[in-house]
Amino acid sequence: MDHAAHQQTNPPTRRTVLRALGLGAAAAGAAPLLSACGGGLKGSGSTSGDTIRIGYVSPRTGAYAAFAESDLYILGQARAAFAKGITYGGTTYKVQILDRDTGSDPQQAATIADELISQQGVDLMLVTSTPETVHPVANKCESEGVPCISTIEPWQAYFYGRGGTPEKTFTYTYHFFDGIEHISTAESDMWRLFDTNKKVGVLWPNDSDGGAFRDRKTGYRAQAATKGFTFVDPGAYENGTKDFSSIIATFKKEGVQILAGVPTPPDFATFWTQAAQQGFKPEVATISKAILFESSVASLPDGLGDGLCTASWWVPQYPFTSSLTGQTAQQLADDYEKSAQAKGRKWNQGLGPNHALFEVARDVLRHADPKDRKAVAARIGKTGLDTVLGRIDWTGGGAANPVKNVAAIPMVGTQWVKGSGGAYDLNVVSNTLVPSVKLDGKARKL
């Protein structure tokens, strides 16, 4: 689908987001139940029947629609792979995938999670893309005792943003994705490719992602990779802001030559357009969340997407193969572009992690009684699997398994370059964390 055509005129308000994430005035009562607090008892028994029901929740429309552009293709792959069922303990179960669109609304995500659990009786929940989608679903699964696997959200925002600590982890909810340590490494690697004054202006909104990046102990500035750079933080802004003039004026006054941040796609389009109009042009801009997808970059006016950089969690050059279909990363991207579901669009980063969700789901359900929710959840925590995204491992500890519920993945540094016909190519320009990925060339100034 065309991302620009599905962007919300009014993105979810902070009040709506906080209410759905369980962080409003009654936060103590709404927060997810952690294992150390005795959570997860409700619904933790077995489910009945000969059909495994898998819920899949994503923001297919609304402000974050680009994250789910490849959903129909991936769902087709998953349903084909599960067509013969899953066998465990001598019993072959049919598999039903129940996919739902949140409209990029966290309250709708919470409602969908409740419906899939209480009415559909799902045995396993899969959820993807941004805290506004992941948190409401994961929180509901944790409180109801339903195993859940999520992706496409920095792990610090997922874990700490839901109230987790190294001492108080989760019982039913598990996550795999990059962390702020990976983003900061990939982005600062790209900063060092340019001759700058090392002044970094940051766009960190007043939401879960922004809070995770701003955190002094675990956030962006706490990472070793960003040492030696000076940060200019004009303060948290509200999602849906229409006038960024004061932030732009601050950046200009402070002589900012590097831009970084984690804005929503609509907010960055507003900011970047106003920045061009008001004469703010940094040497390099490394933006998370807003410019991950070609459709989002192409929607920027006047070719303003040309030269923007982003840390990427999946590219076709990855030397990995799917355990579900046997496709290499390049074959997955090529097949998607040829498919009817792509509607002429190019590959996008969502292909890797969202495909890997179903790889992990099949592996888990083959090794635990699929009708025993507690056993399925426990099995997730014992899983290490090679996927089209690379190694996903909740068992190894260290950088790849920083806390119990998280499997961390590395990233590469990439730059959007406008090609023939107005389309944008995503070139790999930094590969410190994944040296097996070949560089496409040198980075260039905006």
Side-chain angles (χ1 to χ4, degrees):
M1 68 189 66
D2 178 48
H3 177 50
H6 288 83
Q7 288 181 351
Q8 290 178 328
T9 302
N10 296 304
T13 65
R14 175 166 170 76
R15 179 175 295 179
T16 302
V17 172
L18 291 178
R19 183 172 64 247
L21 302 189
L23 298 174
L33 297 177
L34 306 179
S35 60
C37 301
L41 296 179
K42 188 175 180 181
S44 61
S46 300
T47 59
S48 60
D50 61 355
T51 299
I52 299 170
R53 292 177 176 83
I54 301 173
Y56 178 78
V57 184
S58 66
R60 208 174 297 169
T61 57
Y64 303 122
F67 285 82
E69 274 183 357
S70 55
D71 265 13
L72 294 181
Y73 170 80
I74 291 169
L75 287 164
Q77 283 190 315
R79 289 184 171 117
F82 291 141
K84 294 182 179 180
I86 288 177
T87 300
Y88 174 81
T91 300
T92 298
Y93 297 86
K94 300 175 184 176
V95 178
Q96 182 181 16
I97 299 172
L98 305 170
D99 58 285
R100 300 288 188 270
D101 170 27
T102 69
S104 300
D105 182 345
Q107 189 61 52
Q108 180 66 9
T111 300
I112 285 170
D114 183 68
E115 178 255 330
L116 288 172
I117 293 169
S118 63
Q119 298 181 35
Q120 303 297 334
V122 294
D123 302 289
L124 174 64
M125 190 82 78
L126 308 179
V127 58
T128 179
S129 303
T130 78
E132 290 79 7
T133 300
V134 172
H135 289 201
V137 176
N139 289 350
K140 187 66 176 179
C141 288
E142 187 69 26
S143 66
E144 296 294 326
V146 176
C148 175
I149 308 169
S150 55
T151 191
I152 308 189
E153 176 190 359
W155 73 258
Q156 289 91 343
Y158 167 86
F159 187 76
Y160 300 119
R162 295 179 54 229
T165 71
E167 295 75 31
K168 295 182 179 179
T169 57
F170 303 100
T171 300
Y172 289 91
T173 49
Y174 290 82
H175 188 73
F176 66 87
F177 204 55
D178 61 64
I180 293 174
E181 69 274 28
H182 305 108
I183 298 171
S184 65
T185 297
E187 292 191 346
S188 62
D189 278 350
M190 290 187 282
W191 302 344
R192 293 182 177 92
L193 298 175
F194 301 89
D195 183 16
T196 71
N197 61 6
K198 296 189 175 182
K199 283 192 174 183
V200 184
V202 293
L203 287 172
W204 291 332
N206 193 13
D207 62 14
S208 185
D209 274 337
F213 274 72
R214 182 173 279 107
D215 189 281
R216 286 286 185 177
K217 293 183 179 180
T218 61
Y220 204 78
R221 288 167 291 190
Q223 306 303 319
T226 62
K227 301 304 180 185
F229 292 89
T230 300
F231 287 86
V232 178
D233 182 0
Y237 64 89
E238 297 298 328
N239 286 327
T241 292
K242 301 303 181 184
D243 185 357
F244 287 92
S245 296
S246 63
I247 293 177
I248 293 168
T250 298
F251 290 163
K252 290 173 67 176
K253 179 182 177 181
E254 297 295 330
V256 165
Q257 293 186 347
I258 301 169
L259 179 69
V262 61
T264 67
D267 285 352
F268 181 71
T270 301
F271 170 85
W272 200 229
T273 301
Q274 292 176 3
Q277 294 168 346
Q278 297 173 32
F280 171 60
K281 187 178 181 181
E283 297 293 313
V284 56
T286 53
I287 304 297
S288 294
K289 196 171 187 176
I291 61 164
L292 295 168
F293 310 103
E294 200 268 348
S295 58
S296 300
V297 177
S299 70
L300 295 171
D302 304 320
L304 288 175
D306 194 22
L308 290 172
C309 294
T310 189
S312 293
W313 11 274
W314 186 82
V315 293
Q317 297 96 313
Y318 268 24
F320 308 127
T321 301
S322 167
S323 64
L324 190 69
T325 64
Q327 293 168 299
T328 65
Q330 187 66 60
Q331 288 170 338
L332 179 64
D334 291 344
D335 191 56
Y336 170 71
E337 290 182 353
K338 296 174 185 176
S339 71
Q341 294 90 344
K343 298 181 180 179
R345 292 186 298 257
K346 299 183 70 173
W347 67 271
N348 66 74
Q349 290 189 59
L351 277 167
N354 291 339
H355 179 100
L357 275 174
F358 289 98
E359 292 187 71
V360 175
R362 184 176 70 164
D363 185 78
V364 168
L365 294 170
R366 283 175 163 180
H367 293 93
D369 182 350
K371 289 299 176 177
D372 184 335
R373 288 171 168 172
K374 197 164 188 177
V376 170
R379 178 63 202 183
I380 299 171
K382 298 176 182 177
T383 296
L385 183 67
D386 291 318
T387 74
V388 77
L389 188 63
R391 184 72 177 176
I392 296 173
D393 197 338
W394 283 277
T395 69
N401 179 215
V403 292
K404 172 197 167 187
N405 302 93
V406 167
I409 61 169
M411 311 179 78
V412 293
T414 57
Q415 183 175 45
W416 289 106
V417 177
K418 195 172 185 178
S420 60
Y424 286 85
D425 296 319
L426 188 61
N427 292 341
V428 177
V429 296
S430 172
N431 62 356
T432 299
L433 296 176
V434 195
S436 56
V437 175
K438 294 182 179 179
L439 298 180
D440 290 313
K442 295 182 179 180
R444 60 178 179 80
K445 291 184 180 181
L446 287 165

